[in-house]
Amino acid sequence: MNWFNISLLFHLVGVGMIFTLLFAGPVIESNFRWESDLKMKQHSAKLLRNVGLLSPFAALVLAITGIGNMIALNITFGDLFGRSAWLGIKLLIFIALLVMGMVMSPRTARQRLALLEHLGQPNPPDDLDDKMDALDKKQTTFFLMNWVLVLLILILSISKP
């Protein structure tokens, strides 16, 4: 087994980690929305945050093995804008996915947990439901954008010239 095969194997492990997040996130999100018990809602929110902690490891595995694959295939930085432009586009989409995940998801998780803390108080604020609905819509948009970007990466990988 050569280095390219090993790198490709671990790249597929990273892809599996990403798809685990793509499937688990919406399932836990759905559980969070339909749960009526406050403790279970808090548990779902914390579980969603913990599952999200897998994403930096998946991104690291994909980045390292992607670089390894490029080295094994003799693809240079200049090739990303020439004969391997599909790979350059794929890399830009991956970077957009990373930035979106680093910025949007942790902030939404913190805001949601803070709102749940207010919900447990004797006199919660009146606009709590509106704020929670806004965060739910933001989270749904985040999951949809993740799916769109990952599917674009997958399409570029399958239909490369």
Side-chain angles (χ1 to χ4, degrees):
M1 188 177 267
N2 60 24
W3 286 108
F4 175 69
N5 289 339
I6 293 170
S7 180
L8 187 60
L9 175 70
F10 280 104
H11 200 70
L12 291 175
V13 168
V15 169
M17 292 166 75
I18 291 292
F19 275 100
T20 298
L21 292 166
L22 288 174
F23 283 108
V27 169
I28 297 169
E29 175 70 20
S30 175
N31 183 42
F32 172 82
R33 289 186 188 186
W34 296 109
E35 189 60 57
S36 58
D37 182 38
L38 178 62
K39 291 286 186 195
M40 290 304 293
K41 217 173 198 24
Q42 288 174 331
H43 176 70
S44 293
K46 288 178 183 176
L47 183 61
L48 190 60
R49 187 184 66 192
N50 290 341
V51 167
L53 293 176
L54 179 63
S55 62
F57 296 110
L60 184 66
V61 168
L62 287 172
I64 291 172
T65 58
I67 292 168
N69 291 342
M70 288 173 59
I71 292 169
L73 295 172
N74 294 322
I75 297 174
T76 64
F77 185 74
D79 292 337
L80 295 178
F81 303 103
R83 68 181 175 94
S84 297
W86 65 272
L87 187 58
I89 294 169
K90 197 168 115 169
L91 185 60
L92 291 174
I93 294 171
F94 180 70
I95 291 169
L97 190 65
L98 285 179
V99 169
M100 196 172 74
M102 290 186 313
V103 173
M104 238 177 114
S105 191
R107 183 174 51 205
T108 303
R110 283 191 303 272
Q111 290 171 343
R112 183 178 272 172
L113 286 171
L115 286 178
L116 287 174
E117 292 297 323
H118 289 302
L119 191 62
Q121 294 175 348
N123 296 322
D126 294 333
D127 63 343
L128 194 65
D129 288 334
D130 294 336
K131 288 181 179 179
M132 193 63 80
D133 287 341
L135 286 175
D136 288 347
K137 288 177 184 173
K138 187 187 287 188
Q139 191 68 33
T140 299
T141 303
F142 175 72
F143 285 135
L144 286 174
M145 288 302 299
N146 280 346
W147 269 105
V148 167
L149 293 176
V150 168
L151 288 176
L152 281 173
I153 290 172
L154 192 60
I155 288 168
L156 283 169
S157 297
I158 292 171
S159 65
K160 66 182 178 185

